Amino acid sequence: MDSIQSLIKDLADQHGRNRESLLPVIQGLVKREKYLSEYSMVEIAREMDIPAAEVFGTATFYSFLETKPAGKYIIRVCKTITCSMKGKNQLLFAIQDMLKINVGETTPDKRFTLLETNCLGWCHKAPAILINDEVYTEVTPEKIREILTGYMKENI
Amino acid sequence: MNDNKKQLRIALRNCGFINPEIIDDYISRDGYMALGKCLTEHTPEETIKEIKDSGLRGRGGGGFPTGLKWEITRKSESDQKYVVCNADEGDPGAFMDRSILEGDPHSVIEAMAICGYCIGADKGLVYIRAEYPLAIERLQIALSQAREYGLLGENIFRSGFNFDIEIRFGAGAFVCGEETALIHSMEGLRGEPTFKPPFPSVSGYLGKPTNVNNVETFANIPAILNKGAAWFSSIGTEKSKGTKVFALAGKINNVGLIEVPMGTTLREVIYEIGGGIRDGKKFKSVQTGGPSGGCLTTDFLDTPIDYDNLIDAGSMMGSGGMIVMDEDDCMVAIAKFYLEFTLEESCGKCSPCRIGNKRLHEILDKITSGRGEFQDIERLQLLSQVIKDTSLCGLGQTSPNPVLSTIANFEDEYLAHVNEGKCPAGQCKALLKYEIIEDLCTGCTLCFRNCPVGAISGERRQPHYIDQSLCIKCGVCYEKCKFNAITLS
């Protein structure tokens, strides 16, 4: 049994093997592995006795369940209306310039993935970004450089 | 936001006043008193009657009478029932549910337990979106504290009533805020809505009767039961009782959450509480109800805000987001923006929403890029009506609202785009025209040298000229000119 298989088994033991446990199991896996590979989906299907096509169908429906390899830190920039009004584009340019990646891409060292997302619910403190589980608000291009530098310095 | 005599806090009564991570703080402000009273002194029927008498309507946008929903769920016969809290707040511009869960999570827990007692459920589920990590953390802390105090679990207040709450996480799908989609998502399926009836109150989670209420609705419940239905129904308008939390954002001086009695006018909200428009600009419109709502103009400033008035005005309450726009915002571009959102968040199950919104977006894109025709406006209206009439769920049925309301209230802007090729607000880049004012141009050649496409010509010390057919509207000349000789029209 490889590490993915045993992780899936543990998650299924914890959440159950019913259909309603599918999302918690997928979410648990994404939390650990950052994304859901085809292999993981097939293994979840096997472990929970659900057709693999349905696991795929469910997983690809949700934008927070990555099905492409993602970096250690997933940066989600809010692109909804107030953040757009308050300079989300300049922020995005600053991140792209610093990490040398476009939206939807991951840095070669597998550290950062840059994504856009819909409303994060921080409209009064726009623009907002989410890095993994950490929210940053009223972010300026200068501030984002500082924030990212902080992440870069972590566990080198 | 500063307290203001226009404001009245019911749902937000504890936010900012208590430490949400300490249950004793909540208890010291009458927390769990309503639950205790219900369990020990009142029957479920009496409690439901109190909620019905209060006139509370669903705060998630639909405005369905809460007491009636509880009653229907109570009357549905089943061995197992569920209470679900919809915390999948996704409307652009709305963040009251996040603030309540972060600032006062126990009020939601208490209300869910009361609901469970009333409808005969022993299990509650909170469906919360993954975008709200802090709210999730606070709710988890609150749940474990409530269990520790015996306010959740078995035999609560020695009444024989058992109730516990489990958290389910969303995964970034706006449509899951629709109650049937939310239930399917909790069942481990794709979050696609299904036809109602049957309503969740009859057949919901795992086919069992399920009562789904929004976070803000729940937060009102303990206050109503503590102070009485008569007190609550004395606030507000004839058909909309109590208060509503609004999230002010956009071009307004004071941004943030406010809570006002139903029936407060937009003028009071924007000018007295919101402090007016930023930078002394002119108010143009306020967008309420997120992607399902519409844009209201100055004509509606004195309309009392309640569920029915907003619908009559071509918008809706939605979850209470209010995005204020000033004269610099192009309403066609705003409509397009909301369509982009809907397009991305449409689940794709039914064609009117999946394809219709795509076509609406294409037409809007055509208009904002200067290729619009007069007939396009009519096409937008016709298609919008078809989408509204034929979509399966609330998302599709309301998605053309931003288009229809901007056409109704700002038709002149649409006409300027299609007839004159102009964007009055100067937002649609493709319609902008950079021109050189001959009198101010010194012929310094700076713009000529910086233009990346060679669209500028002219002799040294003579006024220059921009060839519009070559201009790519990058704005470099505008930034470089030292004599303000370049205008944007």
Side-chain angles (χ1 to χ4, degrees):
Chain A
M1 196 184 272
D2 65 25
S3 67
I4 296 268
Q5 281 172 328
S6 63
L7 174 61
I8 292 170
K9 188 175 176 299
D10 290 348
L11 287 166
D13 286 342
Q14 185 192 338
H15 297 288
R17 287 175 172 74
N18 298 325
R19 182 65 198 246
E20 61 268 26
S21 316
L22 178 60
L23 270 180
V25 169
I26 293 178
Q27 283 161 336
L29 189 117
V30 169
K31 206 173 173 79
R32 277 278 294 277
E33 296 292 315
K34 291 291 164 204
Y35 84 107
L36 205 58
S37 64
E38 231 175 271
Y39 175 71
S40 319
M41 287 191 239
V42 172
E43 283 309 314
I44 289 175
R46 198 193 310 276
E47 183 67 42
M48 301 183 73
D49 202 17
I50 294 170
E54 293 209 7
V55 175
F56 178 81
T58 304
T60 50
F61 184 82
Y62 299 95
S63 64
F64 267 54
L65 304 176
E66 288 298 316
T67 47
K68 279 195 302 187
K72 186 172 175 203
Y73 301 109
I74 300 182
I75 307 169
R76 295 174 205 267
V77 180
C78 179
K79 62 170 178 185
T80 316
I81 192 153
T82 26
C83 288
S84 286
M85 282 175 171
K86 297 258 177 81
K88 161 232 134 193
N89 278 337
Q90 283 90 311
L91 193 62
L92 209 54
F93 285 140
I95 301 174
Q96 287 170 332
D97 185 52
M98 194 164 169
L99 300 177
K100 310 282 181 244
I101 50 170
N102 285 320
V103 175
E105 292 179 350
T106 303
T107 50
D109 62 0
K110 302 267 179 280
R111 273 252 199 101
F112 296 98
T113 298
L114 178 59
L115 297 172
E116 282 185 306
T117 183
N118 276 325
C119 194
L120 291 175
W122 287 94
C123 315
H124 55 319
K125 289 186 173 179
I129 61 165
L130 191 64
I131 302 182
N132 286 356
D133 274 351
E134 205 64 48
V135 180
Y136 297 90
T137 54
E138 293 176 299
V139 191
T140 56
E142 291 78 49
K143 222 167 130 186
I144 189 69
R145 279 185 208 107
E146 255 171 60
I147 295 168
L148 289 182
T149 312
Y151 277 98
M152 284 173 172
K153 279 183 188 154
E154 257 177 51
N155 48 32
I156 288 179
Chain B
M1 189 171 290
N2 292 337
D3 263 29
N4 180 298
K5 60 179 190 297
K6 296 270 176 199
Q7 293 203 55
L8 176 67
R9 284 160 160 248
I10 298 177
L12 298 177
R13 62 193 177 281
N14 292 326
C15 290
F17 294 105
I18 62 168
N19 181 339
E21 298 186 5
I22 298 175
I23 189 170
D24 295 317
D25 274 24
Y26 178 68
I27 293 173
S28 72
R29 289 174 71 100
D30 297 342
Y32 291 103
M33 195 166 90
L35 176 64
K37 264 205 301 196
C38 285
L39 293 183
T40 53
E41 294 169 25
H42 299 292
T43 63
E45 285 83 4
E46 283 166 3
T47 313
I48 290 178
K49 186 172 181 301
E50 192 78 1
I51 302 291
K52 272 175 88 172
D53 289 346
S54 75
L56 177 67
R57 293 170 67 176
R59 297 291 191 248
F64 191 81
T66 308
L68 185 61
K69 196 186 257 184
W70 289 21
E71 193 176 59
I72 297 169
T73 324
R74 172 162 183 83
K75 286 183 179 157
S76 304
E77 298 274 330
S78 178
D79 53 335
Q80 174 75 57
K81 294 180 191 177
Y82 296 98
V83 178
V84 171
C85 172
N86 182 348
D88 193 53
E89 176 179 61
D91 273 12
F95 46 90
M96 56 284 294
D97 294 352
R98 176 180 63 74
S99 304
I100 292 172
L101 286 172
E102 285 177 4
D104 191 16
H106 286 287
S107 68
V108 177
I109 297 173
E110 181 181 4
M112 286 179 74
I114 294 170
C115 180
Y117 172 68
C118 290
I119 66 166
D122 62 359
K123 201 157 187 246
L125 297 148
V126 181
Y127 186 90
I128 184 166
R129 62 199 297 241
E131 287 91 333
Y132 288 174
L134 181 62
I136 293 172
E137 192 189 314
R138 294 255 168 91
L139 187 61
Q140 279 166 335
I141 294 171
L143 284 174
S144 65
Q145 287 179 345
R147 281 186 202 115
E148 212 175 285
Y149 275 53
L151 297 164
L152 284 178
E154 292 190 353
N155 200 11
I156 301 168
F157 285 103
R158 298 206 179 88
S159 62
F161 170 65
N162 307 332
F163 192 76
D164 209 342
I165 297 174
E166 194 185 311
I167 306 182
R168 291 298 177 84
F169 305 104
F174 173 71
V175 71
C176 288
E178 201 279 341
E179 54 184 4
T180 58
L182 183 145
I183 287 167
H184 295 313
S185 179
M186 292 196 308
E187 288 169 341
L189 306 168
R190 290 164 70 88
E192 288 173 349
T194 42
F195 188 74
K196 290 189 281 191
F199 288 93
S201 313
V202 178
S203 171
Y205 183 58
L206 304 176
K208 306 289 183 188
T210 305
N211 188 88
V212 187
N213 280 134
N214 163 270
V215 173
E216 192 188 332
T217 315
F218 276 129
N220 276 295
I221 301 279
I224 293 173
L225 295 176
N226 282 335
K227 295 193 177 177
W231 162 79
F232 191 81
S233 62
S234 69
I235 305 161
T237 63
E238 195 196 334
K239 287 186 177 162
S240 306
K241 301 297 183 192
T243 56
K244 177 79 191 89
V245 182
F246 291 103
L248 291 183
K251 310 276 181 67
I252 189 162
N253 278 317
N254 305 332
V255 289
L257 288 186
I258 61 159
E259 184 167 354
V260 291
M262 294 276 189
T264 306
T265 63
L266 277 174
R267 188 184 299 281
E268 288 169 306
V269 168
I270 293 167
Y271 289 96
E272 292 179 35
I273 302 171
I277 309 300
R278 196 166 279 182
D279 301 328
K281 298 239 171 152
K282 228 175 91 197
F283 167 79
K284 183 176 202 173
S285 168
V286 57
Q287 210 282 348
T288 68
S292 317
C295 294
L296 302 174
T297 57
T298 41
D299 297 347
F300 298 99
L301 275 179
D302 294 308
T303 307
I305 309 169
D306 67 9
Y307 290 100
D308 310 290
N309 281 342
L310 283 179
I311 287 176
D312 291 343
S315 182
M316 69 183 280
M317 182 76 82
S319 49
M322 279 196 180
I323 299 177
V324 179
M325 289 148 205
D326 67 10
E327 50 197 305
D328 294 338
D329 293 308
C330 167
M331 300 317 287
V332 187
I334 296 282
K336 189 178 133 194
F337 197 96
Y338 278 104
L339 251 290
E340 255 162 52
F341 178 86
T342 317
L343 212 56
E344 213 167 279
E345 296 294 352
S346 166
C347 73
K349 180 172 174 167
C350 69
S351 340
C353 177
R354 182 184 68 241
I355 306 171
N357 282 318
K358 176 96 185 139
R359 296 289 97 86
L360 276 185
H361 182 260
E362 282 167 4
I363 299 174
L364 287 171
D365 190 54
K366 196 174 142 195
I367 295 176
T368 51
S369 57
R371 293 174 287 117
E373 305 163 45
F374 182 67
Q375 293 89 327
D376 283 335
I377 300 180
E378 208 175 302
R379 277 186 203 124
L380 283 174
Q381 285 171 312
L382 189 70
L383 184 54
S384 295
Q385 207 50 53
V386 173
I387 299 172
K388 274 176 87 108
D389 292 345
T390 55
S391 290
L392 174 72
C393 82
L395 191 143
Q397 285 158 11
T398 55
S399 64
N401 281 352
V403 180
L404 288 175
S405 79
T406 47
I407 295 180
N409 295 323
F410 299 96
E411 200 182 0
D412 52 326
E413 285 198 28
Y414 278 85
L415 290 173
H417 280 77
V418 295
N419 289 342
E420 301 159 41
K422 271 187 191 160
C423 174
Q427 283 287 309
C428 299
K429 243 186 157 181
L431 297 177
L432 296 180
K433 217 165 137 187
Y434 287 93
E435 279 173 316
I436 295 176
I437 306 168
E438 286 190 18
D439 294 347
L440 293 177
C441 180
T442 61
C444 71
T445 75
L446 194 61
C447 59
F448 164 76
R449 280 180 280 135
N450 279 289
C451 179
V453 288
I456 301 178
S457 54
E459 294 291 317
R460 185 173 263 281
R461 301 220 174 86
Q462 295 292 318
H464 282 47
Y465 166 77
I466 301 176
D467 184 347
Q468 298 299 336
S469 62
L470 293 176
C471 176
I472 56 163
K473 286 134 188 162
C474 65
V476 165
C477 53
Y478 184 81
E479 280 163 26
K480 292 283 173 191
C481 183
K482 291 174 182 160
F483 306 98
N484 294 327
I486 294 176
T487 61
L488 200 57
S489 59

